[in-house]
Amino acid sequence: MQEALNALSRDYRAAVLLADVEDPAYEDIALIMYCPIGTVRSRINRAHQMLRRRLEKTRSGFAAGFNWT
């Protein structure tokens, strides 16, 4: 998970960590990040999509290389 988070740009990583770990209101995140609330929503959504894709890729690579016997 840390590797997937580190792969995100600074803005995406900050938005998703604030939203998912710290859990302030989106309005507060917008103030912290000095950007409009719409930008916060977009960054969080895109960051979640990027994380999902990266983790699915990692999981499928792990499963393919794992000896199930």
Side-chain angles (χ1 to χ4, degrees):
M1 180 57 117
Q2 187 64 49
E3 193 175 304
L5 283 168
N6 289 339
L8 296 174
S9 73
R10 186 184 75 201
D11 289 335
Y12 287 131
R13 185 172 49 250
V16 80
L17 287 174
L18 281 168
D20 294 345
V21 177
E22 300 295 326
D23 198 30
Y26 281 14
E27 292 85 358
D28 294 331
I29 296 173
L31 290 172
I32 292 167
M33 296 187 73
Y34 301 105
C35 64
I37 192 168
T39 302
V40 168
R41 292 180 192 277
S42 294
R43 287 178 182 169
I44 293 168
N45 184 36
R46 289 182 185 143
H48 283 159
Q49 290 174 0
M50 288 186 261
L51 287 170
R52 188 177 307 111
R53 281 194 299 265
R54 188 169 186 94
L55 292 172
E56 285 174 352
K57 181 178 167 184
T58 301
R59 185 182 67 191
S60 65
F62 172 77
F66 188 75
N67 184 357
W68 295 99
T69 58

